[in-house]
Amino acid sequence: MAKPLLEVSGLKKHFDIKGGVFGRKVGTVQAVNDISFTVMEGEILGIVGESGCGKSTTGKAILRLIEPTEGKVTFEDHDLTNLSDEEMRKLRRDMQMIFQDPYASLNPRHTVEKIISEPLLIHGVKSSEQRSQRVKELLEVVGLNPYHATRYPHQFSGGQRQRIGIARALANNPKLIICDEPVSALDVSVQSQILNLMSELRDEFNLTYIFIAHDLSVVKHISDRVGVMYLGNMVELTEKDKLYEDPKHPYTQALLSAVPSLDPDIRKERIILQGDVPDPANPPTGCVFHTRCPKAMEVCKQEKPMFSEVEDRHFVACHLYN
Ligand code: SF4
């Protein structure tokens, strides 16, 4: 049975807003506000939500690419939040990140060989011959021609560049890869090729992914479980099929109602949410979704709902179920 690889507990990331002549703190953006979840070994956990909901900040805070404000992140037996910079640097070998825009994350002046061999060099592979051999292997693994190692990023298509990004992430045999919108800059036809490649790599190398995206169909394609975020909070988390067939949280219901069904027998009524997403510097009291929720009750304005298990392995933060 799979065991937990990563445990996130009460994670918060708040950013100060500075203003005035002296640049004093004038407010706080609550980008991630007290979220908890576990990722099992070999699992693909999708995290979905609209732009600005805190999903990318969550990914970066887990890897401490930005420092969390509060909370605990445990990877295997290591409490990441208490590691020194040097200890964290060593452990990053096991935890990689793939970014949305492969072009922006690949140095345009470096050859593919240099780009992919950089993490090998950082983590102590001193022999240039070994690095070169590994780069060739990695290019083959991601479906590129090893002879292209001498080329530059601009000589590749968007999909090929993302394959290079994946090869770089795989260089040191990581256990966990956090993928931040890895296919959203790509054409739909290329998206499924990259998603299929990532699924195959998971099986081949027993990888674990946190897959962050705003596109519900992309997340559905690849994930085992899915967490839904709204305004810095995780509002629902369960197995993919349960979430897509029986969403419990009114926000998830609204999000899914906007996805067209391929089955003509399934007619869904589109739930149109009123208003805009509130300012994360001034979030609503109680349930952060109450200003837009079609099912809001009086209690929702006062009390923040607990994120609790309302059915087996189905977690929801909503007073309708508490
Ligand atoms: Fe809607 Fe209330 Fe549930 Fe929040 S707690 S999602 S406002 S019903």
Side-chain angles (χ1 to χ4, degrees):
M1 190 170 155
K3 50 183 198 293
L5 181 70
L6 182 87
E7 289 186 79
V8 175
S9 171
L11 185 71
K12 290 186 186 176
K13 179 62 197 177
H14 296 174
F15 295 100
D16 290 346
I17 308 169
K18 303 266 171 71
V21 184
F22 300 106
R24 288 204 183 101
K25 179 178 163 183
V26 293
T28 308
V29 172
Q30 300 180 13
V32 176
N33 209 5
D34 198 5
I35 67 170
S36 302
F37 58 89
T38 300
V39 190
M40 310 304 282
E41 215 175 61
E43 179 181 43
I44 303 182
L45 175 73
I47 299 184
V48 72
E50 293 163 294
S51 159
C53 69
K55 54 193 190 304
S56 294
T57 307
T58 301
K60 290 186 186 127
I62 289 171
L63 294 188
R64 283 184 52 199
L65 298 176
I66 50 175
E67 285 299 324
T69 307
E70 245 182 81
K72 189 173 170 186
V73 179
T74 311
F75 176 78
E76 295 186 312
D77 294 331
H78 308 277
D79 175 359
L80 300 188
T81 28
N82 275 330
L83 293 185
S84 67
D85 289 350
E86 180 54 20
E87 289 167 324
M88 194 63 211
R89 195 187 66 77
K90 283 191 193 141
L91 211 61
R92 283 223 177 85
R93 189 187 172 126
D94 289 338
M95 298 180 294
Q96 293 292 316
M97 191 146 184
I98 298 173
F99 297 94
Q100 172 180 2
D101 182 353
Y103 200 52
S105 65
L106 306 177
N107 189 328
R109 287 186 294 277
H110 289 176
T111 62
V112 167
E113 163 129 24
K114 185 154 188 196
I115 289 167
I116 301 177
S117 57
E118 204 172 30
L120 296 167
L121 191 61
I122 292 171
H123 289 287
V125 182
K126 297 223 165 61
S127 148
S128 66
E129 224 166 79
Q130 274 180 11
R131 288 199 303 272
S132 203
Q133 185 52 37
R134 179 80 178 129
V135 169
K136 289 198 173 84
E137 272 169 34
L138 287 161
L139 285 172
E140 268 181 8
V141 159
V142 299
L144 291 173
N145 189 329
Y147 294 106
H148 291 170
T150 51
R151 294 190 180 177
Y152 291 85
H154 74 268
Q155 295 174 288
F156 294 88
S157 67
Q160 288 173 323
R161 285 199 285 260
Q162 195 53 290
R163 286 175 194 263
I164 297 167
I166 294 170
R168 180 178 56 181
L170 290 176
N172 285 309
N173 295 319
K175 295 175 180 163
L176 172 72
I177 303 184
I178 299 188
C179 317
D180 188 5
E181 301 270 13
V183 297
S184 53
L186 305 175
D187 290 345
V188 175
S189 58
V190 183
Q191 282 188 353
S192 48
Q193 291 168 16
I194 298 293
L195 292 173
N196 290 341
L197 171 69
M198 292 178 75
S199 290
E200 286 160 22
L201 294 173
R202 182 264 294 256
D203 297 341
E204 194 173 341
F205 299 111
N206 193 29
L207 296 166
T208 304
Y209 296 135
I210 295 180
F211 193 98
I212 296 165
H214 68 278
D215 185 328
L216 284 150
S217 40
V218 164
V219 170
K220 186 179 184 185
H221 188 113
I222 196 160
S223 308
D224 299 311
R225 282 188 307 147
V226 178
V228 180
M229 285 188 71
Y230 179 80
L231 207 67
N233 293 258
M234 192 163 280
V235 296
E236 184 156 6
L237 171 68
T238 189
E239 273 124 33
K240 170 178 68 180
D241 292 342
K242 274 193 192 173
L243 188 96
Y244 283 80
E245 280 158 26
D246 183 23
K248 303 247 180 252
H249 195 281
Y251 177 62
T252 318
Q253 290 168 352
L255 273 186
L256 288 174
S257 78
V259 180
S261 173
L262 294 176
D263 184 345
D265 294 337
I266 299 178
R267 296 223 183 281
K268 288 182 293 183
E269 196 183 321
R270 174 103 193 251
I271 304 166
I272 311 278
L273 293 177
Q274 303 301 316
D276 295 322
V277 180
D279 181 356
N282 189 19
T285 54
C287 171
V288 283
F289 188 52
H290 88 251
T291 52
R292 304 176 76 203
C293 179
K295 297 180 181 167
M297 305 168 284
E298 207 43 45
V299 62
C300 306
K301 297 180 193 162
Q302 322 291 338
E303 283 175 36
K304 184 171 178 167
M306 298 274 290
F307 187 60
S308 43
E309 192 170 9
V310 300
E311 277 177 11
D312 186 32
R313 291 170 56 78
H314 195 154
F315 295 82
V316 185
C318 176
H319 288 304
L320 291 169
Y321 305 96
N322 290 335

